[in-house]
Amino acid sequence: MIYPTGEQYEISADGCTAVVTEVGATLRSLTMGGHDILHGFVVETSPTGGRGQQLLPWPNRIRDGRYVFDGVTQQLPLSEPARHNASHGLGRNVPWVLFDRHPDQVTLRLRIYTQPGWPGILEARITYTVGADGLTVDVTATNLGSSPLPYGYGAHPYLTVGEKVVDDVTLTIPAASYLAVDDRLLPTELLPVEKTSFDWRTGRRMADASLDTAFTHLSRDAGGRWEVSVALADRCTYLWGDGGTNWVQVFSGGPYRDWSVAVEPMTCGPNAFNEGPTHADLIVLQPGATTSCSWGICERPA
């Protein structure tokens, strides 16, 4: 049988099992100890709401799909026509090539060639590894062309602790700043979370809070990692990001309170290809250069 997301690559070790799909190198499911820590989707369907997808060569949105890079104005297709934006990159809905596979690990590869709005050749590799420490995702991107390229990366997993609605979970986000946006979810200014409803640093029940918000200036441990967590009763699922991920987008599902909480590690914020409050984190890849980042998902007792 051919599934909507193509081949299904299952990896498993030490009580942790993940399924990654050929289309989009998407994380379709993730379990630890026999229960879900990712709100994924069934094999007979395609992902909705970006569920488990990989977002490159840019995460989030580009205003009007237009940007200027290396002196040339580029125009991307508007993949979010309702808001007149180019959204979530060029790799979500295309097949990735299986590069390497082991019982506990799978690597997929994608080459994005020159096309309208994209001025070069980029190779991305994503490696998923499972074990006693949960899931680790290692991402590399290499400029295979002869001119510089703009680059950003994000991922779109939805974390779960078995909740029926997101209102019940306790959310913790170790961020000192959040990105204010307009009605098209494009950035206007970067603001401190202190004394605002966007301060989730100590953790609190979500209740009726509605988030589709990018956060930055993240507190990190001695190893340079930050964590965003959701908890309920005796369960806690968390996503960590390394030093290459300076942003995290948190999405509570909009009107769908049973979608779980999307926690999206990102190298840059929305509209980073253009001048504005997120532009400083745009990565410029010179010919032959490679950039990398890592993130992961695990659980612990609440």
Side-chain angles (χ1 to χ4, degrees):
M1 176 179 285
I2 299 177
Y3 296 111
T5 53
E7 295 293 329
Q8 308 290 304
Y9 305 114
E10 181 177 302
I11 53 176
S12 187
D14 297 316
C16 184
T17 299
V19 176
V20 178
T21 72
E22 174 189 9
V23 175
T26 300
L27 180 62
R28 187 173 68 77
S29 68
L30 179 63
T31 63
M32 288 194 75
H35 55 255
D36 292 325
I37 61 173
L38 179 92
H39 191 157
F41 58 98
V42 296
V43 70
E44 295 84 5
T45 65
S46 295
T48 56
R51 200 169 293 276
Q53 292 185 318
Q54 301 293 325
L55 319 176
L56 55 81
W58 74 88
N60 220 289
R61 295 164 175 87
I62 295 177
R63 182 185 298 275
D64 301 319
R66 182 173 296 180
Y67 64 98
V68 177
F69 183 77
D70 208 19
V72 178
T73 299
Q74 302 287 347
Q75 180 62 62
L76 291 155
L78 299 181
S79 49
E80 190 184 38
R83 295 192 176 105
H84 211 258
N85 296 321
S87 179
H88 288 338
L90 300 170
R92 292 197 294 164
N93 300 307
V94 295
W96 290 52
V97 175
L98 178 63
F99 185 79
D100 194 21
R101 189 178 185 184
H102 302 279
D104 64 341
Q105 186 179 84
V106 64
T107 301
L108 290 94
R109 184 189 72 189
L110 177 69
R111 286 181 178 170
I112 301 173
Y113 291 92
T114 305
Q115 57 191 279
W118 180 250
I121 305 170
L122 182 81
E123 179 175 286
R125 296 185 188 181
I126 296 182
T127 299
Y128 292 90
T129 306
V130 293
D133 293 329
L135 172 75
T136 298
V137 183
D138 298 306
V139 183
T140 64
T142 302
N143 182 353
L144 299 182
S146 58
S147 58
L149 284 175
Y151 175 77
Y153 166 81
H156 211 298
Y158 288 73
L159 308 186
T160 186
V161 281
E163 73 286 347
K164 293 183 179 179
V165 291
V166 296
D167 309 49
D168 298 331
V169 306
T170 295
L171 174 67
T172 304
I173 307 170
S177 301
Y178 77 97
L179 190 65
V181 296
D182 61 19
D183 58 358
R184 294 168 59 194
L185 299 182
L186 293 164
T188 57
E189 59 182 326
L190 195 61
L191 297 170
V193 301
E194 186 76 29
K195 297 181 180 178
T196 75
S197 61
F198 295 97
D199 191 348
W200 296 87
R201 289 175 293 182
T202 58
R204 53 190 166 92
R205 184 174 176 269
M206 285 201 67
D208 61 353
S210 181
L211 292 173
D212 195 355
T213 307
F215 295 86
T216 190
H217 300 142
L218 300 158
S219 296
R220 302 173 184 268
D221 64 18
R225 289 184 177 184
W226 53 263
E227 291 182 4
V228 171
S229 66
V230 293
L232 179 65
D234 61 347
R235 292 183 57 185
C236 176
T237 300
Y238 63 94
L239 184 145
W240 58 265
D242 74 351
T245 53
N246 291 324
W247 292 76
V248 61
Q249 181 94 7
V250 178
F251 175 51
S252 57
Y256 306 105
R257 305 298 284 182
D258 59 349
W259 269 22
S260 298
V261 179
V263 179
E264 309 167 37
M266 305 187 298
T267 62
C268 59
N271 203 41
F273 278 28
N274 287 305
E275 293 293 335
T278 64
H279 186 63
D281 284 316
L282 175 70
I283 296 169
V284 176
L285 278 176
Q286 298 298 327
T290 296
T291 187
S292 62
C293 66
S294 299
W295 58 274
I297 302 173
C298 196
E299 69 167 0
R300 59 173 173 254

